C-alpha cells in the first residue's frame, strides 16, 4: 500500500502527449462525497459498456522481460468510463505465457505491485518464483496502471520535487510549516496544469474498470490476481464489484478498507516508529559487526543526533528530510538492514557519503511519476480533512511517534489543495467472493495487522497466513517455505489453509522473512555497499527491488 520515499522512485520518460489541457478547478471546487457519488453512480457497472480492441503483442521494452520470454502490448481504454466513446488512453501490458499444456492452463494472473503509482510491467516474471511450479499453469500479466510508467499519458508534475537538500520535516517554527505547505500547494497546482482531465479520472475504481477491460481483452471469463500492498485494495474493490469474475486471488500486505486514506496514514505512523526501533535493536544485537553499541536506545540516539545536526546545519545537497527518507525502507523491510547499519555507522563516524549515495538524485523529467500517480489516486478516492485537523493530529502523534509522522504529513499535503474532485470509496464486501489467500506479517507498518483481520472478516471464505513477529511489508515469495508452499498449493489446486474459528486471528502461523547476515564494518567511516539492491536477501532478487520501489511510493 502506501508510503514511498520519492528517493526511490525511478526516473521515467517524459509525459506523453494525448490529453487536452483544460482549466483546473480551484481547491474550493472539490465536490462533496454526495455529489461525487451521484456523478459516479453505479460503480459496479463502470466500464460495462466498453469492449477494448485486442492487444497487439510484440517485443517487450526491457531486457529482463525479453529474457523471461514475455510479450508486450498496449491496452486501449477510455479516460472516462462514463464516456466510453471519448478520449482514450493506453496501458502498457506484459505477458509470460503458461508453461503447462493448454489443457492444464488455469488462465490469466494479473499482478499489481502496490503504490498506488507502482509500475507492474515487469511483474509478468513473478510466476517463476512460486515454488512447486505453482506459477506454471498461468499466463502472468503485468501492467502499468493508468498514468504510470510506460502507459500513456504518463503523469508528471515537477520532476525536481524531491531534489536533495530539503529542510527538516519536523516544523521548528512557523517558517518551516509555511515552507512545506507552500511546496505542497505548488506541486498540486503543477499537477492541475499538467494533466487536469486525467486527474479527474484516476481513482481506484478507474483502475478496477481497467482490470475489467484487461480481462475482456485477454478473453477470460474470470481472472486470477496477485496483489501486493495497495494492490490488495484493488483486489478487494474488484471482488466487491465483480465477485462473479474472481477466481484465485492472493493479497499480500493487506490494506484496511475502513481507513482509506487519512486514517491509514496515522496508523502507519504509529507502527513505523515501533519498527524503526526494531531495526535499531537489531543493530545493537549485532554490535560485533557494527560497533554502534549494545543498547538499541543508544543506536536510536545516533540516528536522531544526526537528524538534529542536519536540521541545524544542513549540507548543500543533503538535509534532514533526506536523512529521514533514507531510513524509511528499514522500517518497511528487513532485506537491507545490513546496508542501513553500514550507512548509520559511516554517518556516526562523520561520513554522510553512503547516505547521500543511497538517496541519490531523484530528479529530472518524469522522476516524480510514482509520487504524482500516488497522489492522484489517494487525493481523489476520498476527501481529506482540513489542515487544522491534520496539523493537530500530527503534533499530537509526533510527540511520541516522531520517526514518520511529519514526513508522512508533508508527503500527503498536496491533497489539501488537490485540483480534482474527491469521491466516495466503495464499501468493500467480500461475502459473494470465493476463497482468497492473504499474507501479513504481525508488525507490518505500511499495512498494519488490523487491516488483514478486518479483510478476513469481510471475506468469510478467506484464509490468513501470519508471518509471526515480522516487520516486513508484502514479503511473500521470499523463501519462507511455510508461506510460499501454501501459496503454491492454492494456485495449483485452489486449496486454502483451514480457516480457524473466530474473527480476530490468523489461520496459519509461519516464520517471518529472515533478517540478513551482518557484515563487519571495517572502520567508523566505512562506506555502505549501496549497490546492494533492496531485496538482495530474497529469492526474487531484482524483481523484489521493483516491488520494494513500487510499495515505497505509498507512504
Amino acid at each position: 500500500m502506501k508510503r514511498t520515499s520519492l528517493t526511490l522512485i525511478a526516473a521515467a520518460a517524459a509525459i506523453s502527449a494525448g490529453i487536452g489541457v483544460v482549466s483546473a478547478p480551484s481547491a474550493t471546487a472539490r465536490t462533496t462525497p454526495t455529489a461525487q457519488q451521484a456523478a459516479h453512480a453505479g460503480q459496479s457497472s463502470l466500464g460495462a459498456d466498453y469492449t477494448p480492441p485486442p492487444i497487439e503483442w510484440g517485443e517487450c521494452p526491457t531486457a529482463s522481460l525479453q529474457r523471461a520470454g514475455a510479450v508486450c502490448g498496449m491496452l486501449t481504454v477510455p479516460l472516462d468510463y462514463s464516456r466510453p466513446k471519448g478520449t482514450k488512453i493506453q496501458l502498457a501490458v506484459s505477458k509470460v505465457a503458461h508453461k503447462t499444456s493448454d489443457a492444464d492452463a488455469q488462465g490469466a494472473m494479473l499482478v499489481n505491485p502496490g503504490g498506488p503509482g507502482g509500475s507492474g510491467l515487469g511483474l509478468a516474471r513473478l510466476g517463476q518464483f512460486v515454488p512447486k511450479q505453482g506459477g506454471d499453469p498461468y499466463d502472468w500479466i503485468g501492467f502499468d496502471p493508468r498514468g504510470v510508467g510506460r502507459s500513456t499519458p504518463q503523469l508528471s508534475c515537477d520532476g525536481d520535487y524531491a531534489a536533495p537538500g530539503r529542510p527538516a520535516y519536523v516544523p521548528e517554527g512557523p517558517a518551516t510549516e509555511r515552507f512545506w505547505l507552500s511546496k505542497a500547494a505548488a506541486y498540486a497546482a503543477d499537477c492541475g496544469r499538467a494533466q487536469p482531465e486525467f486527474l479527474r479520472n484516476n481513482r481506484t475504481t478507474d483502475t478496477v474498470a481497467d482490470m475489467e477491460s484487461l480481462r475482456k481483452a485477454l478473453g477470460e471469463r474470470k481472472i486470477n490476481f496477485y496483489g501486493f500492498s495497495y494492490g490488495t485494495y484493488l483486489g478487494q474493490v474488484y471482488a466487491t464489484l465483480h465477485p462473479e469474475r474472481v477466481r484465485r486471488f492472493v493479497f499480500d500486505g493487506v490494506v484496511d478498507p475502513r481507513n482509506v486514506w487519512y486514517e491509514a496514514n496515522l496508523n502507519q505512523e504509529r507502527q513505523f516508529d515501533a519498527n524503526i526501533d526494531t531495526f535499531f535493536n537489531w543493530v545493537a544485537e549485532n554490535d560485533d559487526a557494527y560497533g554502534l553499541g549494545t543498547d538499541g536506545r543508544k543506536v536510536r540516539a545516533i540516528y536522531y543526533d544526526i537528524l538534529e545536526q542536519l536540521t541545524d546545519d544542513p549540507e548543500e545537497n543533503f538535509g534532514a528530510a533526506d536523512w529521514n527518507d533514507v531510513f524509511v525502507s528499514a522500517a518497511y523491510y528487513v532485506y537491507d538492514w545490513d546496508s542501513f547499519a553500514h550507512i548509520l555507522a559511516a554517518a556516526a563516524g562523520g561520513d554522510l557519503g553512503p547516505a547521500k549515495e543511497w538517496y541519490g538524485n531523484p530528479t529530472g523529467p518524469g522522476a516524480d511519476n510514482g509520487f504524482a500517480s500516488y497522489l492522484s489516486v489517494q487525493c481523489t478516492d476520498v476527501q481529506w480533512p482540513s489542515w487544522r485537523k491534520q496539523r493537530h493530529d500530527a503534533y499530537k502523534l509526533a510527540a511520541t511517534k516522531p520517526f514518520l509522522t511529519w514526513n508522512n504529513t508533508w508527503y500527503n499535503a498536496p491533497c489539501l489543495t488537490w485540483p480534482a474532485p474527491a469521491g466516495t470509496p466503495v464499501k468493500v464486501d467480500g461475502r459473494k467472493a470465493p476463497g482468497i489467500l492473504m499474507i501479513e506479517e504481525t508488525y507490518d507498518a505500511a499495512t498494519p495487522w488490523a487491516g488483514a483481520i478486518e479483510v478476513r472478516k469481510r471475506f468469510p471464505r478467506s484464509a490468513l497466513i501470519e508471518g509471526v513477529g515480522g516487520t516486513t511489508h508484502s514479503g511473500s515469495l521470499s523463501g519462507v517455505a511455510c508461506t510460499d508452499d501454501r501459496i503454491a498449493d492454492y494456485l495449483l489446486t485452489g486449496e486454502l489453509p483451514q480457516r480457524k474459528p473466530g474473527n480476530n486471528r490468523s489461520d496459519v502461523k509461519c516464520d517471518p522473512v529472515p533478517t540478513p547476515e551482518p557484515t563487519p564494518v571495517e572502520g567508523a567511516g566505512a562506506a555502505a555497499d549501496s549497490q546492494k539492491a533492496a531485496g538482495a536477501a530474497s529469492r526474487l532478487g531484482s524483481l523484489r527491488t521493483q516491488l520494494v520501489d513500487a510499495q515505497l511510493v505509498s507512504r
Side-chain angles (χ1 to χ4, degrees):
M1 160 181 122
K2 337 173 327 120
R3 165 108 195 113
T4 181
S5 164
L6 285 172
T7 322
L8 297 176
I9 298 173
I15 303 174
S16 301
I19 292 184
V21 176
V22 297
S23 59
S26 68
T28 56
R30 291 167 66 87
T31 63
T32 65
T34 302
Q36 189 62 33
Q37 198 169 24
H40 287 267
Q43 289 172 319
S44 62
S45 62
L46 192 65
D49 296 332
Y50 177 72
T51 299
I55 298 172
E56 295 185 9
W57 299 106
E59 186 175 79
C60 287
T62 66
S64 59
L65 283 169
Q66 292 171 16
R67 286 193 299 268
V71 292
C72 291
M74 303 298 284
L75 172 71
T76 300
V77 297
L79 172 63
D80 181 351
Y81 275 95
S82 69
R83 302 162 69 182
K85 295 182 179 180
T87 302
K88 301 297 190 298
I89 60 175
Q90 291 192 310
L91 310 185
V93 181
S94 59
K95 179 176 71 171
V96 171
H98 58 275
K99 294 178 172 57
T100 62
S101 67
D102 290 349
D104 292 331
Q106 298 198 43
M109 175 72 73
L110 278 61
V111 190
N112 181 271
S119 166
L121 192 67
L123 296 188
R125 298 177 289 146
L126 189 66
Q128 65 185 295
F129 298 103
V130 181
K132 301 182 180 182
Q133 296 180 302
D136 287 3
Y138 295 91
D139 293 337
W140 288 81
I141 307 297
F143 66 100
D144 283 347
R146 54 175 54 203
V148 175
R150 296 180 185 273
S151 293
T152 58
Q154 183 201 80
L155 183 61
S156 177
C157 310
D158 176 4
D160 295 334
Y161 188 73
R166 299 167 300 156
Y169 288 126
V170 179
E172 293 292 304
T176 308
E177 190 173 319
R178 286 195 299 270
F179 169 86
W180 284 108
L181 284 172
S182 175
K183 183 177 177 68
Y187 189 81
D190 287 340
C191 288
R193 285 188 289 269
Q195 298 282 358
E197 187 180 356
F198 183 87
L199 297 187
R200 299 188 187 102
N201 294 281
N202 195 29
R203 299 177 179 83
T204 292
T205 47
D206 293 300
T207 298
V208 166
D210 290 341
M211 290 167 61
E212 258 296 89
S213 292
L214 185 51
R215 178 191 66 78
K216 294 176 184 177
L218 295 170
E220 300 285 351
R221 188 172 66 86
K222 295 184 177 183
I223 62 168
N224 306 282
F225 179 73
Y226 204 125
F228 297 89
S229 195
Y230 167 75
T232 72
Y233 184 60
L234 284 174
Q236 292 171 43
V237 174
Y238 185 93
T240 298
L241 300 180
H242 307 286
E244 75 286 357
R245 301 298 184 187
V246 173
R247 190 172 179 270
R248 291 178 193 161
F249 275 34
V250 179
F251 295 164
D252 182 10
V254 187
V255 170
D256 192 332
R258 299 171 298 181
N259 296 329
V260 292
W261 289 114
Y262 178 67
E263 290 295 332
N265 279 271
L266 298 184
N267 290 336
Q268 284 183 337
E269 290 152 19
R270 297 180 180 101
Q271 191 60 49
F272 266 97
D273 207 88
N275 283 14
I276 197 64
D277 283 351
T278 301
F279 164 69
F280 293 141
N281 290 337
W282 179 84
V283 173
E285 290 166 4
N286 292 282
D287 181 58
D288 288 348
Y290 305 122
L292 294 176
T294 59
D295 186 337
R297 291 171 297 182
K298 292 183 178 179
V299 176
R300 175 187 174 93
I302 292 170
Y303 166 83
Y304 278 103
D305 285 348
I306 295 169
L307 183 71
E308 183 176 357
Q309 168 193 322
L310 288 169
T311 298
D312 295 339
D313 187 21
E315 299 198 4
E316 182 178 356
N317 63 342
F318 196 75
D322 311 323
W323 173 253
N324 185 208
D325 272 1
V326 166
F327 284 89
V328 166
S329 186
Y332 258 103
Y333 313 97
V334 300
Y335 302 117
D336 267 327
W337 274 8
D338 181 56
S339 290
F340 289 120
H342 279 257
I343 290 171
L344 188 61
D351 181 9
L352 286 171
K356 293 176 182 178
E357 186 178 357
W358 192 278
Y359 186 84
N361 185 27
T363 60
D368 66 322
N369 175 237
F371 180 53
S373 298
Y374 163 83
L375 291 172
S376 69
V377 174
Q378 297 238 331
C379 297
T380 55
D381 266 0
V382 65
Q383 182 71 55
W384 283 61
S386 67
W387 173 239
R388 180 178 181 181
K389 174 172 175 51
Q390 292 193 41
R391 184 178 188 274
H392 172 269
D393 290 345
Y395 271 106
K396 182 178 179 179
L397 193 54
T400 57
K401 309 292 183 185
F403 177 70
L404 190 71
T405 297
W406 281 107
N407 182 326
N408 225 10
T409 298
W410 299 127
Y411 193 84
N412 291 283
C415 290
L416 289 165
T417 57
W418 195 251
T424 302
V426 170
K427 182 175 177 58
V428 169
D429 184 348
R431 288 176 295 178
K432 294 182 180 180
I436 63 169
L437 182 62
M438 302 191 299
I439 302 102
E440 182 86 8
E441 294 209 345
T442 313
Y443 301 114
D444 182 336
T447 54
W449 178 253
I453 292 298
E454 179 64 23
V455 177
R456 182 180 179 274
K457 292 177 187 177
R458 296 192 185 200
F459 287 78
R461 298 176 183 84
S462 65
L464 172 61
I465 300 173
E466 177 183 1
V468 178
T471 62
T472 291
H473 174 54
S474 294
S476 64
L477 303 181
S478 289
V480 179
C482 175
T483 297
D484 296 352
D485 286 352
R486 285 177 169 84
I487 295 171
D489 291 341
Y490 173 63
L491 295 186
L492 287 169
T493 69
E495 176 187 357
L496 286 168
Q498 183 176 357
R499 187 175 170 107
K500 305 292 186 183
N503 286 326
N504 296 305
R505 61 182 299 174
S506 58
D507 301 295
V508 178
K509 296 184 183 298
C510 294
D511 288 337
V513 175
T515 56
E517 287 294 322
T519 60
V521 171
E522 297 178 354
D529 180 11
S530 62
Q531 297 305 311
K532 284 184 177 180
S538 88
R539 302 172 66 231
L540 296 181
S542 63
L543 194 58
R544 176 63 68 186
T545 304
Q546 181 178 347
L547 285 166
V548 168
D549 287 355
Q551 293 156 20
L552 283 170
V553 170
S554 71
R555 226 183 252 225

